[in-house]
Amino acid sequence: MAAEAKLSHTAAMILQAISVGYVYGFSIMEVTGLPSGTVYPAMRRLERDDLIRSQWERQSIADAEQRPPRKYYKLTTAGRTTLDASRKRYPLLERLMPTEEARSV
Amino acid sequence: MKSPSDVAFSALQRTALHTASLLVPAAERQDWRCEWLSELWHVRSSYLRLDDTLSLQSQSEITWFCLGAFSDALCVRELATASGHPRSHMHGSAAQPLLWLAAILLLCFLITSLLPGVRAEREAAQFLVNPNALIISEAADHSWKPSIPAGLYLNWKYTHQRFFQDLAFYHVSRETAHAGSARILWNVARSSLNLFSLLGVPLKQAFDDNSGLPSVVLSNETWIRSFAGDPSVTGKVVRIGNSNARIAGVAPAAAWQLPGAPDVWLLQSDTQIATDLPYKTRGFLVAQLSERGLDAMQQSGDSISAHNLEDMLIDLSATPISAPVEGPWNLYGFALFLALVALPAVSSVSLGETQMTNHRISSREGLRRFCFLGGKFILVAGIGLFASFDIAYCYTASFSPAAECLQLVSCFAICLFGFRWALADQRHRCPVCLRRVTNPASVGLASRTFLGWNGTEMICMGGHTLLHVPALPTSWFSDQRWLYLDSSWQFLFADPGIY
């Protein structure tokens, strides 16, 4: 619960971005407008607090698309709970990154 | 096909990411490097989707993205430190004393760079007076009393002399001077123009004056005391007595102190000296002896004879002006040498190694241990140098033999006790990880030394070694001993792999 109370707006934006489908560091940067020096450390902290989990995509997928494999992030159960609490605190979060748009990407 | 600028930018961006990854703790470095490089590929792809050839603006935005990796890396490093055991890691670690010593060294160096006396000592060793320049006085008088009349100087200067190659004269009197709005009382030496060329001492901030005003040279002490060491002081006009003079330079702080302790030298032509000073006014005579004069002095024990104004023979004695100056580096080298020679008298130079164990530390560990000890010695020696300057010159702004003596003594003391500490510290550091052994435990009873062993045992918190220090050295247990712990001990240590 302490983590929920202390979640900054930046962290809440990142959780919201991941929850709506922006699961890569750069795509989170693009959608939130946050610089690289902010997004990755924030994600590292969220990962440390077990709010998100990272995973490397399989090499075969990357090879098929002739690109390097990418690390993607997804919310944990605790992260989802924290995000729900944060939406009450920051009601505009959902309007900043609507789910429909993300799904169409 | 990539353009040359794209290749260059790509190389720059990848280099930035690789460099940033060096800041990340080793365990996570590879993972972060892969993530950044992967993201870079996608960032470039997204820009290329908009524009076939990346514009300068796109390249700079991509580069800014890469530079953000430095911020990421620092943050990751900070998080790793916070989640680790920084205090237990640092406590007693090899880095701790080195950092402390480096901090003290830096502090001492900064203080030294602010002390004017240290500069004065350097100058004293740098600007030595011409060794053939001597103070000539009547044999009956001391060399620091004015004994040669101005008339006699002029007479000798303009007649052929057997013993003197060149002569300079000055007369010191207390006079009021005005520098700006300040009114100061100075010891003014009215001296002949050739005084400084005869002494062989170059002036600092020398100023060529064509205005026709007489030139005045400040002593280093006066320059610091009355003008706060202002480097632009030369060329300014000061009023000495009833006439104006222009400051032509500053005499370097030197080991020599001309008799009469002048604050300033007012350089005057011989004609002006003849006009200003009565013939019988006594002053100081500085002479450079000819070869014949030097021979005569050696034969007659530092005295020569010359005719006075009444054409009578008078005995003259010659006193060297320059005092022997050791210079800061010579003194430091001597103090360091003395400290190293005296070290075995105040501490055992043994590092507590014993031949009674089969365990041998690897050459890498041995080299690391030696470098650590050497590093401490070098830092202590550096602190000895700068701290001795600080001690010797914290109260005096000018060179003095007393300050030199204080420097020698303090440098010797700091180096000696610093080296002693370095050895004692080394003896209590685990040979494997260089961490200080801790948790001392008394073992045995002093009353049972004959049958058993008593002393103190300390353990390395990394789980590498146990140190036995005998309370009473005996013929069979005189020095401390290291017991190297094998892997069966590791379960006792919470964090055995910290090193």
Side-chain angles (χ1 to χ4, degrees), chain B residues 435-465:
Chain B
R435 198 178 205 186
R436 264 186 91 85
V437 286
T438 182
N439 296 343
S442 290
V443 179
L445 291 170
S447 58
R448 293 181 186 169
T449 301
F450 180 68
L451 296 173
W453 175 86
N454 81 297
T456 309
E457 282 184 351
M458 285 176 273
I459 198 160
C460 162
M461 290 308 287
H464 304 112
T465 49

PDB file of all heavy atoms in Angstrom, chain B residues 435-465:
ATOM      1  N   ARG B 435      40.484  -6.389   3.432  1.00  0.00           N
ATOM      2  CA  ARG B 435      39.529  -5.825   4.376  1.00  0.00           C
ATOM      3  C   ARG B 435      40.094  -5.935   5.785  1.00  0.00           C
ATOM      4  O   ARG B 435      40.806  -6.890   6.080  1.00  0.00           O
ATOM      5  CB  ARG B 435      38.251  -6.639   4.265  1.00  0.00           C
ATOM      6  CG  ARG B 435      37.055  -5.989   4.828  1.00  0.00           C
ATOM      7  CD  ARG B 435      35.890  -6.907   4.580  1.00  0.00           C
ATOM      8  NE  ARG B 435      34.663  -6.180   4.544  1.00  0.00           N
ATOM      9  CZ  ARG B 435      33.489  -6.755   4.466  1.00  0.00           C
ATOM     10  NH1 ARG B 435      33.400  -8.051   4.387  1.00  0.00           N
ATOM     11  NH2 ARG B 435      32.399  -6.039   4.450  1.00  0.00           N
ATOM     12  N   ARG B 436      39.767  -4.961   6.643  1.00  0.00           N
ATOM     13  CA  ARG B 436      40.282  -5.020   8.015  1.00  0.00           C
ATOM     14  C   ARG B 436      39.626  -6.164   8.776  1.00  0.00           C
ATOM     15  O   ARG B 436      38.405  -6.339   8.691  1.00  0.00           O
ATOM     16  CB  ARG B 436      39.999  -3.714   8.741  1.00  0.00           C
ATOM     17  CG  ARG B 436      41.155  -2.737   8.712  1.00  0.00           C
ATOM     18  CD  ARG B 436      40.875  -1.550   9.556  1.00  0.00           C
ATOM     19  NE  ARG B 436      41.348  -1.742  10.910  1.00  0.00           N
ATOM     20  CZ  ARG B 436      42.584  -1.505  11.319  1.00  0.00           C
ATOM     21  NH1 ARG B 436      43.471  -1.051  10.473  1.00  0.00           N
ATOM     22  NH2 ARG B 436      42.937  -1.695  12.563  1.00  0.00           N
ATOM     23  N   VAL B 437      40.448  -6.916   9.477  1.00  0.00           N
ATOM     24  CA  VAL B 437      39.871  -7.986  10.291  1.00  0.00           C
ATOM     25  C   VAL B 437      39.188  -7.343  11.485  1.00  0.00           C
ATOM     26  O   VAL B 437      39.582  -6.264  11.944  1.00  0.00           O
ATOM     27  CB  VAL B 437      40.948  -8.997  10.745  1.00  0.00           C
ATOM     28  CG1 VAL B 437      41.371  -9.872   9.596  1.00  0.00           C
ATOM     29  CG2 VAL B 437      42.137  -8.304  11.361  1.00  0.00           C
ATOM     30  N   THR B 438      38.170  -8.006  11.968  1.00  0.00           N
ATOM     31  CA  THR B 438      37.374  -7.372  13.022  1.00  0.00           C
ATOM     32  C   THR B 438      36.922  -8.430  14.042  1.00  0.00           C
ATOM     33  O   THR B 438      37.396  -9.556  14.020  1.00  0.00           O
ATOM     34  CB  THR B 438      36.174  -6.643  12.376  1.00  0.00           C
ATOM     35  OG1 THR B 438      35.434  -5.999  13.398  1.00  0.00           O
ATOM     36  CG2 THR B 438      35.267  -7.573  11.609  1.00  0.00           C
ATOM     37  N   ASN B 439      36.003  -8.035  14.914  1.00  0.00           N
ATOM     38  CA  ASN B 439      35.480  -8.895  15.991  1.00  0.00           C
ATOM     39  C   ASN B 439      36.604  -9.524  16.809  1.00  0.00           C
ATOM     40  O   ASN B 439      36.761 -10.747  16.847  1.00  0.00           O
ATOM     41  CB  ASN B 439      34.600 -10.020  15.410  1.00  0.00           C
ATOM     42  CG  ASN B 439      33.371  -9.473  14.719  1.00  0.00           C
ATOM     43  OD1 ASN B 439      33.015  -8.319  14.934  1.00  0.00           O
ATOM     44  ND2 ASN B 439      32.742 -10.266  13.890  1.00  0.00           N
ATOM     45  N   PRO B 440      37.425  -8.702  17.493  1.00  0.00           N
ATOM     46  CA  PRO B 440      38.531  -9.278  18.278  1.00  0.00           C
ATOM     47  C   PRO B 440      38.004 -10.120  19.447  1.00  0.00           C
ATOM     48  O   PRO B 440      37.030  -9.741  20.096  1.00  0.00           O
ATOM     49  CB  PRO B 440      39.284  -8.039  18.783  1.00  0.00           C
ATOM     50  CG  PRO B 440      38.302  -6.926  18.707  1.00  0.00           C
ATOM     51  CD  PRO B 440      37.351  -7.245  17.606  1.00  0.00           C
ATOM     52  N   ALA B 441      38.619 -11.239  19.633  1.00  0.00           N
ATOM     53  CA  ALA B 441      38.225 -12.129  20.737  1.00  0.00           C
ATOM     54  C   ALA B 441      39.480 -12.556  21.481  1.00  0.00           C
ATOM     55  O   ALA B 441      40.462 -12.974  20.856  1.00  0.00           O
ATOM     56  CB  ALA B 441      37.503 -13.343  20.183  1.00  0.00           C
ATOM     57  N   SER B 442      39.439 -12.424  22.813  1.00  0.00           N
ATOM     58  CA  SER B 442      40.587 -12.859  23.621  1.00  0.00           C
ATOM     59  C   SER B 442      40.549 -14.373  23.751  1.00  0.00           C
ATOM     60  O   SER B 442      39.496 -14.961  24.014  1.00  0.00           O
ATOM     61  CB  SER B 442      40.526 -12.234  25.008  1.00  0.00           C
ATOM     62  OG  SER B 442      40.771 -10.867  24.895  1.00  0.00           O
ATOM     63  N   VAL B 443      41.687 -14.962  23.572  1.00  0.00           N
ATOM     64  CA  VAL B 443      41.772 -16.423  23.645  1.00  0.00           C
ATOM     65  C   VAL B 443      42.857 -16.782  24.650  1.00  0.00           C
ATOM     66  O   VAL B 443      43.939 -16.194  24.627  1.00  0.00           O
ATOM     67  CB  VAL B 443      42.123 -17.022  22.260  1.00  0.00           C
ATOM     68  CG1 VAL B 443      42.245 -18.534  22.339  1.00  0.00           C
ATOM     69  CG2 VAL B 443      41.077 -16.628  21.234  1.00  0.00           C
ATOM     70  N   GLY B 444      42.562 -17.735  25.529  1.00  0.00           N
ATOM     71  CA  GLY B 444      43.559 -18.219  26.473  1.00  0.00           C
ATOM     72  C   GLY B 444      43.718 -17.305  27.679  1.00  0.00           C
ATOM     73  O   GLY B 444      43.077 -16.247  27.780  1.00  0.00           O
ATOM     74  N   LEU B 445      44.564 -17.721  28.589  1.00  0.00           N
ATOM     75  CA  LEU B 445      44.828 -16.952  29.801  1.00  0.00           C
ATOM     76  C   LEU B 445      46.318 -16.642  29.869  1.00  0.00           C
ATOM     77  O   LEU B 445      47.154 -17.493  29.557  1.00  0.00           O
ATOM     78  CB  LEU B 445      44.433 -17.762  31.033  1.00  0.00           C
ATOM     79  CG  LEU B 445      42.929 -17.995  31.245  1.00  0.00           C
ATOM     80  CD1 LEU B 445      42.715 -19.015  32.348  1.00  0.00           C
ATOM     81  CD2 LEU B 445      42.240 -16.679  31.593  1.00  0.00           C
ATOM     82  N   ALA B 446      46.595 -15.419  30.299  1.00  0.00           N
ATOM     83  CA  ALA B 446      48.002 -15.004  30.366  1.00  0.00           C
ATOM     84  C   ALA B 446      48.791 -15.896  31.313  1.00  0.00           C
ATOM     85  O   ALA B 446      49.965 -16.184  31.107  1.00  0.00           O
ATOM     86  CB  ALA B 446      48.082 -13.558  30.820  1.00  0.00           C
ATOM     87  N   SER B 447      48.128 -16.399  32.387  1.00  0.00           N
ATOM     88  CA  SER B 447      48.824 -17.225  33.382  1.00  0.00           C
ATOM     89  C   SER B 447      49.191 -18.609  32.840  1.00  0.00           C
ATOM     90  O   SER B 447      49.953 -19.329  33.442  1.00  0.00           O
ATOM     91  CB  SER B 447      47.945 -17.387  34.623  1.00  0.00           C
ATOM     92  OG  SER B 447      46.723 -17.978  34.233  1.00  0.00           O
ATOM     93  N   ARG B 448      48.602 -18.957  31.678  1.00  0.00           N
ATOM     94  CA  ARG B 448      48.882 -20.291  31.137  1.00  0.00           C
ATOM     95  C   ARG B 448      49.721 -20.232  29.866  1.00  0.00           C
ATOM     96  O   ARG B 448      49.675 -21.131  29.039  1.00  0.00           O
ATOM     97  CB  ARG B 448      47.568 -21.009  30.843  1.00  0.00           C
ATOM     98  CG  ARG B 448      46.817 -21.302  32.133  1.00  0.00           C
ATOM     99  CD  ARG B 448      45.533 -22.022  31.847  1.00  0.00           C
ATOM    100  NE  ARG B 448      44.755 -22.159  33.068  1.00  0.00           N
ATOM    101  CZ  ARG B 448      43.503 -22.561  33.085  1.00  0.00           C
ATOM    102  NH1 ARG B 448      42.879 -22.851  31.951  1.00  0.00           N
ATOM    103  NH2 ARG B 448      42.864 -22.667  34.218  1.00  0.00           N
ATOM    104  N   THR B 449      50.464 -19.177  29.695  1.00  0.00           N
ATOM    105  CA  THR B 449      51.268 -19.021  28.484  1.00  0.00           C
ATOM    106  C   THR B 449      52.264 -20.162  28.319  1.00  0.00           C
ATOM    107  O   THR B 449      52.555 -20.609  27.227  1.00  0.00           O
ATOM    108  CB  THR B 449      52.016 -17.680  28.531  1.00  0.00           C
ATOM    109  OG1 THR B 449      51.044 -16.670  28.641  1.00  0.00           O
ATOM    110  CG2 THR B 449      52.850 -17.449  27.291  1.00  0.00           C
ATOM    111  N   PHE B 450      52.730 -20.659  29.447  1.00  0.00           N
ATOM    112  CA  PHE B 450      53.743 -21.705  29.384  1.00  0.00           C
ATOM    113  C   PHE B 450      53.198 -22.985  28.736  1.00  0.00           C
ATOM    114  O   PHE B 450      53.876 -23.637  27.949  1.00  0.00           O
ATOM    115  CB  PHE B 450      54.258 -21.999  30.801  1.00  0.00           C
ATOM    116  CG  PHE B 450      55.313 -23.063  30.824  1.00  0.00           C
ATOM    117  CD1 PHE B 450      56.567 -22.827  30.254  1.00  0.00           C
ATOM    118  CD2 PHE B 450      55.059 -24.308  31.388  1.00  0.00           C
ATOM    119  CE1 PHE B 450      57.515 -23.820  30.265  1.00  0.00           C
ATOM    120  CE2 PHE B 450      56.028 -25.288  31.397  1.00  0.00           C
ATOM    121  CZ  PHE B 450      57.250 -25.046  30.826  1.00  0.00           C
ATOM    122  N   LEU B 451      51.935 -23.285  29.040  1.00  0.00           N
ATOM    123  CA  LEU B 451      51.357 -24.529  28.522  1.00  0.00           C
ATOM    124  C   LEU B 451      50.502 -24.302  27.276  1.00  0.00           C
ATOM    125  O   LEU B 451      50.323 -25.207  26.480  1.00  0.00           O
ATOM    126  CB  LEU B 451      50.488 -25.183  29.601  1.00  0.00           C
ATOM    127  CG  LEU B 451      51.258 -25.629  30.831  1.00  0.00           C
ATOM    128  CD1 LEU B 451      50.302 -26.099  31.919  1.00  0.00           C
ATOM    129  CD2 LEU B 451      52.213 -26.769  30.468  1.00  0.00           C
ATOM    130  N   GLY B 452      49.953 -23.149  27.146  1.00  0.00           N
ATOM    131  CA  GLY B 452      49.056 -22.902  26.015  1.00  0.00           C
ATOM    132  C   GLY B 452      49.399 -21.614  25.297  1.00  0.00           C
ATOM    133  O   GLY B 452      50.545 -21.170  25.273  1.00  0.00           O
ATOM    134  N   TRP B 453      48.396 -21.033  24.747  1.00  0.00           N
ATOM    135  CA  TRP B 453      48.606 -19.820  23.962  1.00  0.00           C
ATOM    136  C   TRP B 453      47.573 -18.808  24.390  1.00  0.00           C
ATOM    137  O   TRP B 453      46.420 -19.167  24.665  1.00  0.00           O
ATOM    138  CB  TRP B 453      48.424 -20.166  22.472  1.00  0.00           C
ATOM    139  CG  TRP B 453      48.502 -18.967  21.574  1.00  0.00           C
ATOM    140  CD1 TRP B 453      49.627 -18.424  21.056  1.00  0.00           C
ATOM    141  CD2 TRP B 453      47.426 -18.177  21.080  1.00  0.00           C
ATOM    142  NE1 TRP B 453      49.333 -17.350  20.285  1.00  0.00           N
ATOM    143  CE2 TRP B 453      47.980 -17.168  20.264  1.00  0.00           C
ATOM    144  CE3 TRP B 453      46.043 -18.211  21.248  1.00  0.00           C
ATOM    145  CZ2 TRP B 453      47.206 -16.198  19.627  1.00  0.00           C
ATOM    146  CZ3 TRP B 453      45.276 -17.254  20.603  1.00  0.00           C
ATOM    147  CH2 TRP B 453      45.840 -16.259  19.804  1.00  0.00           C
ATOM    148  N   ASN B 454      47.950 -17.581  24.521  1.00  0.00           N
ATOM    149  CA  ASN B 454      46.933 -16.563  24.767  1.00  0.00           C
ATOM    150  C   ASN B 454      47.200 -15.353  23.889  1.00  0.00           C
ATOM    151  O   ASN B 454      48.353 -15.044  23.560  1.00  0.00           O
ATOM    152  CB  ASN B 454      46.871 -16.188  26.256  1.00  0.00           C
ATOM    153  CG  ASN B 454      47.935 -15.205  26.640  1.00  0.00           C
ATOM    154  OD1 ASN B 454      49.111 -15.519  26.548  1.00  0.00           O
ATOM    155  ND2 ASN B 454      47.539 -14.036  27.043  1.00  0.00           N
ATOM    156  N   GLY B 455      46.142 -14.721  23.494  1.00  0.00           N
ATOM    157  CA  GLY B 455      46.260 -13.576  22.603  1.00  0.00           C
ATOM    158  C   GLY B 455      44.897 -13.165  22.097  1.00  0.00           C
ATOM    159  O   GLY B 455      43.879 -13.412  22.758  1.00  0.00           O
ATOM    160  N   THR B 456      44.878 -12.566  20.944  1.00  0.00           N
ATOM    161  CA  THR B 456      43.620 -12.077  20.372  1.00  0.00           C
ATOM    162  C   THR B 456      43.443 -12.695  18.987  1.00  0.00           C
ATOM    163  O   THR B 456      44.416 -12.828  18.239  1.00  0.00           O
ATOM    164  CB  THR B 456      43.663 -10.530  20.245  1.00  0.00           C
ATOM    165  OG1 THR B 456      44.051  -9.995  21.503  1.00  0.00           O
ATOM    166  CG2 THR B 456      42.333  -9.956  19.827  1.00  0.00           C
ATOM    167  N   GLU B 457      42.213 -13.030  18.692  1.00  0.00           N
ATOM    168  CA  GLU B 457      41.887 -13.535  17.357  1.00  0.00           C
ATOM    169  C   GLU B 457      40.909 -12.574  16.698  1.00  0.00           C
ATOM    170  O   GLU B 457      39.961 -12.109  17.329  1.00  0.00           O
ATOM    171  CB  GLU B 457      41.257 -14.922  17.450  1.00  0.00           C
ATOM    172  CG  GLU B 457      42.261 -16.013  17.683  1.00  0.00           C
ATOM    173  CD  GLU B 457      41.629 -17.395  17.683  1.00  0.00           C
ATOM    174  OE1 GLU B 457      40.390 -17.485  17.674  1.00  0.00           O
ATOM    175  OE2 GLU B 457      42.399 -18.364  17.708  1.00  0.00           O
ATOM    176  N   MET B 458      41.168 -12.286  15.423  1.00  0.00           N
ATOM    177  CA  MET B 458      40.260 -11.422  14.667  1.00  0.00           C
ATOM    178  C   MET B 458      39.944 -12.116  13.350  1.00  0.00           C
ATOM    179  O   MET B 458      40.778 -12.862  12.816  1.00  0.00           O
ATOM    180  CB  MET B 458      40.903 -10.065  14.417  1.00  0.00           C
ATOM    181  CG  MET B 458      40.921  -9.191  15.660  1.00  0.00           C
ATOM    182  SD  MET B 458      41.771  -7.647  15.417  1.00  0.00           S
ATOM    183  CE  MET B 458      43.432  -8.108  15.766  1.00  0.00           C
ATOM    184  N   ILE B 459      38.766 -11.831  12.838  1.00  0.00           N
ATOM    185  CA  ILE B 459      38.315 -12.564  11.659  1.00  0.00           C
ATOM    186  C   ILE B 459      37.987 -11.604  10.508  1.00  0.00           C
ATOM    187  O   ILE B 459      37.568 -10.462  10.744  1.00  0.00           O
ATOM    188  CB  ILE B 459      37.090 -13.442  12.028  1.00  0.00           C
ATOM    189  CG1 ILE B 459      36.888 -14.528  10.977  1.00  0.00           C
ATOM    190  CG2 ILE B 459      35.825 -12.609  12.197  1.00  0.00           C
ATOM    191  CD1 ILE B 459      36.076 -15.687  11.451  1.00  0.00           C
ATOM    192  N   CYS B 460      38.224 -12.063   9.303  1.00  0.00           N
ATOM    193  CA  CYS B 460      37.872 -11.287   8.112  1.00  0.00           C
ATOM    194  C   CYS B 460      36.384 -11.510   7.833  1.00  0.00           C
ATOM    195  O   CYS B 460      35.934 -12.649   7.772  1.00  0.00           O
ATOM    196  CB  CYS B 460      38.722 -11.758   6.933  1.00  0.00           C
ATOM    197  SG  CYS B 460      38.066 -11.269   5.339  1.00  0.00           S
ATOM    198  N   MET B 461      35.640 -10.428   7.678  1.00  0.00           N
ATOM    199  CA  MET B 461      34.196 -10.555   7.483  1.00  0.00           C
ATOM    200  C   MET B 461      33.858 -11.129   6.103  1.00  0.00           C
ATOM    201  O   MET B 461      32.716 -11.485   5.845  1.00  0.00           O
ATOM    202  CB  MET B 461      33.511  -9.197   7.666  1.00  0.00           C
ATOM    203  CG  MET B 461      33.507  -8.713   9.101  1.00  0.00           C
ATOM    204  SD  MET B 461      32.862  -9.942  10.259  1.00  0.00           S
ATOM    205  CE  MET B 461      31.127  -9.875   9.873  1.00  0.00           C
ATOM    206  N   GLY B 462      34.842 -11.207   5.236  1.00  0.00           N
ATOM    207  CA  GLY B 462      34.627 -11.862   3.950  1.00  0.00           C
ATOM    208  C   GLY B 462      34.765 -13.372   4.050  1.00  0.00           C
ATOM    209  O   GLY B 462      34.517 -14.088   3.077  1.00  0.00           O
ATOM    210  N   GLY B 463      35.203 -13.847   5.220  1.00  0.00           N
ATOM    211  CA  GLY B 463      35.322 -15.280   5.430  1.00  0.00           C
ATOM    212  C   GLY B 463      36.581 -15.884   4.844  1.00  0.00           C
ATOM    213  O   GLY B 463      36.607 -17.061   4.519  1.00  0.00           O
ATOM    214  N   HIS B 464      37.643 -15.055   4.700  1.00  0.00           N
ATOM    215  CA  HIS B 464      38.863 -15.578   4.091  1.00  0.00           C
ATOM    216  C   HIS B 464      39.905 -16.017   5.114  1.00  0.00           C
ATOM    217  O   HIS B 464      40.568 -17.028   4.925  1.00  0.00           O
ATOM    218  CB  HIS B 464      39.510 -14.514   3.191  1.00  0.00           C
ATOM    219  CG  HIS B 464      38.591 -14.005   2.128  1.00  0.00           C
ATOM    220  ND1 HIS B 464      38.105 -12.724   2.104  1.00  0.00           N
ATOM    221  CD2 HIS B 464      38.056 -14.618   1.056  1.00  0.00           C
ATOM    222  CE1 HIS B 464      37.331 -12.558   1.053  1.00  0.00           C
ATOM    223  NE2 HIS B 464      37.278 -13.693   0.400  1.00  0.00           N
ATOM    224  N   THR B 465      40.030 -15.234   6.190  1.00  0.00           N
ATOM    225  CA  THR B 465      41.162 -15.466   7.103  1.00  0.00           C
ATOM    226  C   THR B 465      40.795 -15.245   8.562  1.00  0.00           C
ATOM    227  O   THR B 465      39.804 -14.576   8.866  1.00  0.00           O
ATOM    228  CB  THR B 465      42.320 -14.494   6.776  1.00  0.00           C
ATOM    229  OG1 THR B 465      41.769 -13.197   6.677  1.00  0.00           O
ATOM    230  CG2 THR B 465      43.053 -14.860   5.519  1.00  0.00           C
TER     231      THR B 465
END
